[in-house]
Amino acid sequence: MVKRQVPKPSEIFELMQFRKPSLDFRANRLSRAQSIPDLRAIAKRRTPAAAFDYTDGSADREISLTRARKAFEDVELHPGVLTDVSDLDTTTTILGSPSALPFGIAPIGFTRLMQTEGEIAGAGSAAAAGIPFSLSTLGTTSIEDVRATAPDGRLWYQLYVMKDRDISYGLVDRAAAAGFDTLLFTVDTPIAGNRMRDARNGFSIPPQLTAKTILDAIPRPWWWWDFLTTPKLEFASLTTTGGTVGQLLDSAMDPSIDFDDLAEIRRMWPGKLAIKGVQNVEDARKLVDLGVDAIILSNHGGRQLDTAPVPFHLLPEVRKAVGDDVDIIIDTGIMHGADIVAAIAMGASFTLVGRAYLYGLMAGGREGVDRAIEILSSEVRRTMKLLQVGSVEELEPRHVTQLRSLVPIEHGVQKPV
């Protein structure tokens, strides 16, 4: 039988250590977030439905996004044993320059509508973490202001070639003058995808006040206070606004762009050139033959063609087709550091995160983006150590098995996995 005794007060207080209370409410809520889904939950509570759904949603039935995330869930990781991983190296080289981590921030438009610090928060956090930040053509902070925010940061510029070519060419010149080192030429947006959440919410640029938006704003007064008391949104590429995101994209995008446009952009741009939105092996081969510096396997976060190919599934075949001399970047569906590790192991040179960054932004501005990067970084490091891999360069296909529940069928005969 256990011998019992009356506890001594001194022993009780020694065992019970109370945390010092803090009045920094933003820091308190961010410290409770242990994962990107935790940040998403905070973001959903703090952001009006229309703005949150613009970030969270995708096109039509949202099958592409669901499949992309499922692809990363359907992974089996194979750790080694008895390997010294006390000194872990997460650095990598992408497009000729270093990154402290094997991921960067993807380009996303209208970011200040999610939270007013927008691209300023993203660029500042990325620079502090030593990773690239990508500014969208439809960004809500100017090229020059983003550079001023991160004077020593590594900045990439995402380009849409629009109907008014002079606008697009002017943006190329401005990005080059501001010292952006890479251009991400996006080729999967001849028109806007059918983003049904935006249509249902009546999401427009700028936000319009309706009975529904007013009711939605009542429990989130801080969002409207931030929006109404900060500088007016600045669009580097749009001369007029007023309409849904889809309407704005359809009015600006040019469905006639072709390889001649690629040649013209290549002629104009002095830095590295990556093509974003590649979704099959044949296009990847052709682009590499044309001399691009990188291809980005992406279905636009599921926001364009629904049921488009899953980038993570395409990755091994594309790597085999183009060889090891070209950089392959992958996005869509990444919500955990293990997803990043799996992508690198299967042949990606680098990864981009979009929604994960915006969930942090909506949860807590610049500090929230810092927290998102911190979470992903710790997950990358933990996964690599548990795999017993000492550096990014050591990650190989042998560390990953892709489990696939969706198997293509050809001529009525199921292909073997």
Side-chain angles (χ1 to χ4, degrees), residues 235-296:
F235 297 91
S237 60
L238 296 178
T239 56
T240 61
T241 58
T244 67
V245 172
Q247 289 168 339
L248 291 171
L249 285 174
D250 284 343
S251 68
M253 298 304 125
D254 188 349
S256 72
I257 65 169
D258 57 21
F259 281 91
D260 290 338
D261 292 291
L262 172 59
E264 179 64 16
I265 295 300
R266 173 74 280 183
R267 183 191 65 79
M268 295 179 61
W269 179 249
K272 300 288 187 178
L273 179 64
I275 308 302
K276 185 176 185 292
V278 180
Q279 298 178 69
N280 64 64
V281 175
E282 292 74 19
D283 284 342
R285 278 200 197 99
K286 185 172 183 178
L287 290 165
V288 170
D289 290 342
L290 289 172
V292 303
D293 299 296
I295 57 175
I296 303 178

Coordinates of all heavy atoms in Angstrom, one line a residue, residues 235-296:
F235 N -3.3 49.0 -56.1 CA -3.1 47.9 -57.1 C -2.1 48.3 -58.2 O -2.4 49.3 -58.9 CB -4.5 47.5 -57.7 CG -5.5 47.0 -56.8 CD1 -6.4 47.8 -56.2 CD2 -5.5 45.6 -56.4 CE1 -7.3 47.4 -55.2 CE2 -6.5 45.2 -55.5 CZ -7.4 46.0 -54.9
A236 N -1.0 47.6 -58.2 CA 0.0 48.0 -59.2 C -0.4 47.8 -60.6 O 0.1 48.4 -61.5 CB 1.3 47.1 -58.9
S237 N -1.4 46.9 -60.9 CA -1.7 46.6 -62.3 C -3.1 46.9 -62.7 O -3.5 46.9 -63.9 CB -1.5 45.0 -62.5 OG -2.3 44.3 -61.6
L238 N -4.0 47.2 -61.7 CA -5.4 47.4 -62.1 C -5.7 48.9 -62.1 O -5.4 49.6 -61.1 CB -6.4 46.7 -61.1 CG -6.3 45.2 -61.1 CD1 -7.3 44.7 -60.0 CD2 -6.6 44.6 -62.4
T239 N -6.2 49.4 -63.1 CA -6.5 50.9 -63.2 C -7.9 51.1 -62.7 O -8.3 52.2 -62.3 CB -6.4 51.4 -64.6 OG1 -7.2 50.6 -65.5 CG2 -4.9 51.3 -65.1
T240 N -8.8 50.1 -62.8 CA -10.2 50.2 -62.3 C -10.5 49.0 -61.4 O -10.0 47.9 -61.7 CB -11.2 50.3 -63.4 OG1 -11.1 49.1 -64.2 CG2 -10.9 51.5 -64.3
T241 N -11.3 49.2 -60.4 CA -11.8 48.1 -59.6 C -13.3 48.3 -59.4 O -13.9 49.3 -59.8 CB -11.2 48.2 -58.2 OG1 -11.4 49.4 -57.5 CG2 -9.7 47.9 -58.3
G242 N -13.9 47.3 -58.8 CA -15.4 47.3 -58.7 C -16.0 46.1 -59.3 O -16.3 46.1 -60.5
G243 N -16.1 45.0 -58.6 CA -16.6 43.8 -59.1 C -16.0 42.6 -58.3 O -15.1 42.8 -57.4
T244 N -16.4 41.4 -58.7 CA -15.9 40.2 -58.0 C -14.5 40.0 -58.5 O -14.1 40.6 -59.6 CB -16.8 39.0 -58.3 OG1 -16.7 38.7 -59.7 CG2 -18.2 39.2 -57.9
V245 N -13.8 39.2 -57.8 CA -12.4 38.8 -58.2 C -12.4 38.2 -59.6 O -11.6 38.5 -60.5 CB -11.7 37.9 -57.2 CG1 -10.4 37.4 -57.7 CG2 -11.5 38.6 -55.9
G246 N -13.4 37.3 -59.9 CA -13.5 36.7 -61.2 C -13.7 37.7 -62.3 O -13.1 37.6 -63.3
Q247 N -14.6 38.7 -62.0 CA -14.9 39.7 -63.0 C -13.6 40.5 -63.3 O -13.3 40.9 -64.5 CB -16.0 40.6 -62.6 CG -17.4 39.9 -62.6 CD -18.5 40.7 -61.9 OE1 -18.2 41.6 -61.0 NE2 -19.7 40.4 -62.2
L248 N -12.9 40.9 -62.3 CA -11.7 41.7 -62.4 C -10.6 40.9 -63.2 O -10.0 41.4 -64.1 CB -11.1 42.1 -61.1 CG -11.9 43.1 -60.3 CD1 -11.4 43.3 -58.9 CD2 -11.9 44.4 -61.0
L249 N -10.5 39.6 -62.9 CA -9.5 38.8 -63.7 C -9.9 38.6 -65.1 O -9.1 38.8 -66.0 CB -9.4 37.4 -63.0 CG -8.6 37.3 -61.7 CD1 -8.8 35.9 -61.1 CD2 -7.2 37.7 -61.9
D250 N -11.2 38.4 -65.4 CA -11.7 38.2 -66.7 C -11.5 39.5 -67.6 O -11.2 39.4 -68.7 CB -13.1 37.8 -66.8 CG -13.3 36.3 -66.4 OD1 -12.4 35.6 -66.5 OD2 -14.5 36.0 -66.1
S251 N -11.6 40.6 -66.9 CA -11.4 41.9 -67.6 C -10.0 42.2 -67.9 O -9.7 42.9 -68.9 CB -12.1 43.0 -66.8 OG -11.3 43.3 -65.6
A252 N -9.1 41.6 -67.1 CA -7.7 42.0 -67.3 C -6.9 40.9 -68.0 O -6.0 41.2 -68.8 CB -7.0 42.2 -65.9
M253 N -7.2 39.6 -67.8 CA -6.4 38.5 -68.4 C -6.7 38.4 -69.9 O -7.8 38.7 -70.4 CB -6.7 37.2 -67.7 CG -6.4 37.2 -66.2 SD -4.7 37.6 -65.9 CE -4.9 38.9 -64.7
D254 N -5.7 37.8 -70.6 CA -5.8 37.7 -72.0 C -5.7 36.2 -72.4 O -4.6 35.6 -72.3 CB -4.6 38.5 -72.7 CG -4.8 38.5 -74.2 OD1 -5.6 37.8 -74.8 OD2 -4.0 39.3 -74.9
P255 N -6.8 35.6 -72.9 CA -6.8 34.2 -73.3 C -5.9 33.9 -74.5 O -5.8 32.7 -74.9 CB -8.2 33.9 -73.5 CG -8.9 35.2 -73.8 CD -8.1 36.2 -73.0
S256 N -5.4 34.9 -75.2 CA -4.6 34.7 -76.4 C -3.1 34.6 -76.2 O -2.4 34.4 -77.1 CB -4.9 35.9 -77.4 OG -4.2 37.1 -76.9
I257 N -2.7 34.6 -74.9 CA -1.2 34.5 -74.7 C -0.7 33.2 -75.2 O -1.3 32.2 -75.1 CB -0.8 34.8 -73.2 CG1 -1.4 33.6 -72.3 CG2 -1.3 36.1 -72.7 CD1 -0.8 33.7 -70.9
D258 N 0.6 33.3 -75.8 CA 1.2 32.1 -76.3 C 2.7 32.1 -76.2 O 3.2 32.9 -75.4 CB 0.8 31.9 -77.8 CG 1.2 33.1 -78.6 OD1 2.0 33.9 -78.2 OD2 0.5 33.3 -79.7
F259 N 3.4 31.2 -76.9 CA 4.8 31.1 -76.7 C 5.5 32.4 -77.2 O 6.7 32.6 -76.8 CB 5.3 29.9 -77.4 CG 5.1 28.6 -76.6 CD1 4.0 27.9 -76.7 CD2 6.0 28.2 -75.6 CE1 3.8 26.7 -76.0 CE2 5.8 27.1 -74.9 CZ 4.7 26.3 -75.0
D260 N 4.9 33.1 -78.1 CA 5.5 34.4 -78.5 C 5.6 35.4 -77.3 O 6.6 36.1 -77.2 CB 4.7 35.1 -79.6 CG 4.9 34.3 -80.9 OD1 5.8 33.5 -81.1 OD2 4.0 34.5 -81.8
D261 N 4.6 35.3 -76.4 CA 4.7 36.2 -75.2 C 5.8 35.7 -74.3 O 6.5 36.5 -73.7 CB 3.3 36.1 -74.5 CG 2.2 36.8 -75.3 OD1 2.3 38.0 -75.4 OD2 1.3 36.1 -75.8
L262 N 6.0 34.4 -74.2 CA 7.1 33.9 -73.4 C 8.4 34.4 -73.9 O 9.3 34.8 -73.2 CB 7.1 32.4 -73.4 CG 8.3 31.7 -72.7 CD1 8.4 32.1 -71.3 CD2 8.1 30.2 -72.8
A263 N 8.6 34.4 -75.2 CA 9.8 34.8 -75.8 C 10.1 36.3 -75.5 O 11.2 36.7 -75.3 CB 9.8 34.6 -77.3
E264 N 9.0 37.1 -75.6 CA 9.1 38.5 -75.3 C 9.5 38.8 -73.9 O 10.4 39.6 -73.6 CB 7.8 39.3 -75.7 CG 7.8 40.8 -75.5 CD 8.8 41.5 -76.3 OE1 9.3 40.9 -77.3 OE2 9.1 42.7 -76.0
I265 N 8.9 38.1 -73.0 CA 9.2 38.3 -71.6 C 10.6 37.8 -71.3 O 11.4 38.5 -70.5 CB 8.2 37.5 -70.7 CG1 6.8 38.0 -70.8 CG2 8.6 37.5 -69.2 CD1 6.6 39.5 -70.4
R266 N 11.0 36.7 -71.9 CA 12.4 36.3 -71.7 C 13.4 37.3 -72.2 O 14.5 37.5 -71.6 CB 12.6 35.0 -72.5 CG 14.0 34.4 -72.5 CD 14.5 33.8 -71.2 NE 14.9 34.8 -70.2 CZ 15.5 34.4 -69.1 NH1 15.6 33.2 -68.7 NH2 15.8 35.4 -68.2
R267 N 13.1 38.0 -73.3 CA 13.9 39.0 -73.9 C 14.0 40.2 -72.9 O 15.1 40.8 -72.7 CB 13.4 39.5 -75.2 CG 14.3 40.5 -75.9 CD 13.6 41.1 -77.1 NE 12.4 41.9 -76.7 CZ 12.5 43.2 -76.2 NH1 13.7 43.7 -76.0 NH2 11.4 43.8 -75.9
M268 N 12.9 40.6 -72.3 CA 12.9 41.7 -71.4 C 13.5 41.5 -70.0 O 14.1 42.4 -69.4 CB 11.4 42.2 -71.2 CG 10.7 42.7 -72.4 SD 9.0 43.1 -72.0 CE 9.3 44.4 -70.8
W269 N 13.4 40.3 -69.5 CA 13.7 40.1 -68.1 C 15.2 39.7 -67.9 O 15.7 38.7 -68.5 CB 12.8 39.0 -67.5 CG 13.1 38.6 -66.1 CD1 13.7 37.5 -65.6 CD2 12.8 39.5 -65.0 NE1 13.8 37.6 -64.2 CE2 13.3 38.8 -63.8 CE3 12.3 40.8 -64.8 CZ2 13.2 39.3 -62.5 CZ3 12.2 41.3 -63.5 CH2 12.6 40.6 -62.4
P270 N 15.9 40.4 -67.1 CA 17.4 40.1 -66.9 C 17.7 39.0 -66.0 O 18.8 38.6 -65.9 CB 17.9 41.5 -66.4 CG 16.7 42.1 -65.7 CD 15.5 41.6 -66.4
G271 N 16.7 38.6 -65.1 CA 17.0 37.7 -64.1 C 16.6 36.3 -64.4 O 16.5 35.9 -65.6
K272 N 16.4 35.5 -63.4 CA 15.9 34.1 -63.6 C 14.4 34.1 -64.0 O 13.6 34.9 -63.5 CB 16.1 33.3 -62.3 CG 17.5 33.2 -61.8 CD 18.4 32.3 -62.7 CE 19.8 32.1 -62.1 NZ 20.6 31.1 -63.0
L273 N 14.0 33.1 -64.8 CA 12.7 33.0 -65.3 C 12.1 31.6 -64.9 O 12.6 30.6 -65.3 CB 12.6 33.2 -66.8 CG 11.2 33.1 -67.4 CD1 10.3 34.2 -66.9 CD2 11.3 33.2 -68.9
A274 N 11.0 31.6 -64.2 CA 10.3 30.4 -63.8 C 8.9 30.4 -64.4 O 8.2 31.5 -64.4 CB 10.2 30.2 -62.3
I275 N 8.4 29.3 -64.9 CA 7.0 29.3 -65.5 C 6.1 28.6 -64.5 O 6.3 27.4 -64.1 CB 7.0 28.5 -66.8 CG1 8.1 29.1 -67.8 CG2 5.6 28.6 -67.5 CD1 7.9 30.6 -68.1
K276 N 5.1 29.3 -64.1 CA 4.2 28.8 -63.0 C 2.9 28.4 -63.6 O 2.3 29.1 -64.4 CB 3.9 30.0 -62.0 CG 3.1 29.5 -60.8 CD 3.0 30.7 -59.8 CE 2.3 30.2 -58.5 NZ 0.9 29.9 -58.8
G277 N 2.5 27.2 -63.2 CA 1.2 26.6 -63.7 C 1.4 25.5 -64.7 O 0.4 25.1 -65.4
V278 N 2.5 24.8 -64.7 CA 2.8 23.7 -65.6 C 2.0 22.5 -65.0 O 2.1 22.2 -63.8 CB 4.3 23.4 -65.7 CG1 4.5 22.2 -66.6 CG2 5.0 24.6 -66.2
Q279 N 1.3 21.7 -65.9 CA 0.5 20.6 -65.4 C 0.6 19.4 -66.2 O -0.3 18.5 -66.0 CB -1.0 21.1 -65.3 CG -1.2 22.3 -64.3 CD -2.6 22.8 -64.3 OE1 -3.5 22.2 -63.8 NE2 -2.8 24.0 -64.8
N280 N 1.6 19.2 -67.0 CA 1.8 18.0 -67.7 C 3.3 17.8 -68.1 O 4.0 18.8 -68.2 CB 0.9 17.8 -68.9 CG 1.1 18.8 -70.0 OD1 2.2 18.8 -70.6 ND2 0.1 19.6 -70.3
V281 N 3.7 16.6 -68.4 CA 5.1 16.3 -68.7 C 5.5 17.0 -70.0 O 6.6 17.5 -70.1 CB 5.3 14.8 -68.7 CG1 6.7 14.5 -69.2 CG2 5.0 14.2 -67.4
E282 N 4.7 16.9 -71.0 CA 5.0 17.4 -72.3 C 5.3 18.9 -72.3 O 6.3 19.4 -72.9 CB 3.9 17.2 -73.3 CG 3.7 15.7 -73.7 CD 3.0 14.9 -72.5 OE1 2.4 15.6 -71.7 OE2 3.1 13.7 -72.5
D283 N 4.5 19.7 -71.6 CA 4.8 21.1 -71.5 C 6.1 21.4 -70.7 O 6.8 22.3 -71.0 CB 3.6 21.8 -70.8 CG 2.4 22.0 -71.7 OD1 2.6 21.9 -72.9 OD2 1.3 22.2 -71.2
A284 N 6.3 20.6 -69.6 CA 7.5 20.7 -68.9 C 8.8 20.5 -69.8 O 9.7 21.3 -69.7 CB 7.6 19.7 -67.7
R285 N 8.7 19.5 -70.6 CA 9.9 19.2 -71.5 C 10.1 20.4 -72.5 O 11.2 20.8 -72.7 CB 9.6 18.0 -72.3 CG 9.9 16.6 -71.6 CD 10.1 15.6 -72.7 NE 10.0 14.2 -72.1 CZ 8.9 13.5 -72.1 NH1 7.8 13.9 -72.6 NH2 8.9 12.3 -71.5
K286 N 9.0 20.9 -73.1 CA 9.1 21.9 -74.0 C 9.6 23.2 -73.4 O 10.5 23.9 -74.0 CB 7.7 22.2 -74.6 CG 7.7 23.3 -75.8 CD 6.4 23.3 -76.5 CE 6.4 24.3 -77.6 NZ 5.1 24.4 -78.4
L287 N 9.2 23.5 -72.2 CA 9.7 24.7 -71.6 C 11.2 24.6 -71.2 O 11.9 25.6 -71.4 CB 8.9 25.0 -70.3 CG 7.4 25.5 -70.6 CD1 6.6 25.3 -69.3 CD2 7.4 26.9 -71.1
V288 N 11.6 23.5 -70.8 CA 13.0 23.2 -70.5 C 13.8 23.4 -71.8 O 14.9 24.0 -71.8 CB 13.2 21.9 -69.8 CG1 14.7 21.5 -69.7 CG2 12.6 21.9 -68.4
D289 N 13.3 22.8 -72.9 CA 14.0 23.0 -74.2 C 14.2 24.4 -74.6 O 15.1 24.8 -75.3 CB 13.3 22.2 -75.2 CG 13.4 20.6 -75.0 OD1 14.3 20.2 -74.3 OD2 12.6 19.9 -75.6
L290 N 13.2 25.2 -74.2 CA 13.2 26.7 -74.5 C 14.2 27.5 -73.6 O 14.3 28.7 -73.8 CB 11.8 27.3 -74.5 CG 10.9 26.8 -75.6 CD1 9.5 27.3 -75.3 CD2 11.4 27.3 -76.9
G291 N 14.7 26.8 -72.6 CA 15.7 27.4 -71.8 C 15.2 28.1 -70.5 O 16.0 29.0 -70.0
V292 N 14.0 27.8 -70.0 CA 13.6 28.5 -68.8 C 14.4 27.9 -67.6 O 15.0 26.9 -67.7 CB 12.1 28.3 -68.5 CG1 11.3 28.8 -69.7 CG2 11.8 26.8 -68.2
D293 N 14.5 28.7 -66.6 CA 15.4 28.4 -65.4 C 14.7 27.4 -64.5 O 15.3 26.7 -63.7 CB 15.8 29.6 -64.7 CG 16.6 30.6 -65.6 OD1 17.7 30.1 -66.0 OD2 16.2 31.7 -65.9
A294 N 13.3 27.5 -64.4 CA 12.6 26.6 -63.5 C 11.2 26.4 -64.0 O 10.6 27.3 -64.7 CB 12.6 27.2 -62.1
I295 N 10.6 25.3 -63.6 CA 9.2 25.2 -63.8 C 8.5 25.0 -62.5 O 9.1 24.4 -61.6 CB 8.9 24.0 -64.8 CG1 9.4 22.7 -64.2 CG2 9.4 24.2 -66.2 CD1 9.1 21.5 -65.0
I296 N 7.3 25.5 -62.4 CA 6.5 25.4 -61.1 C 5.3 24.6 -61.4 O 4.4 25.0 -62.1 CB 6.1 26.8 -60.6 CG1 7.4 27.7 -60.4 CG2 5.3 26.6 -59.3 CD1 7.0 29.1 -59.9

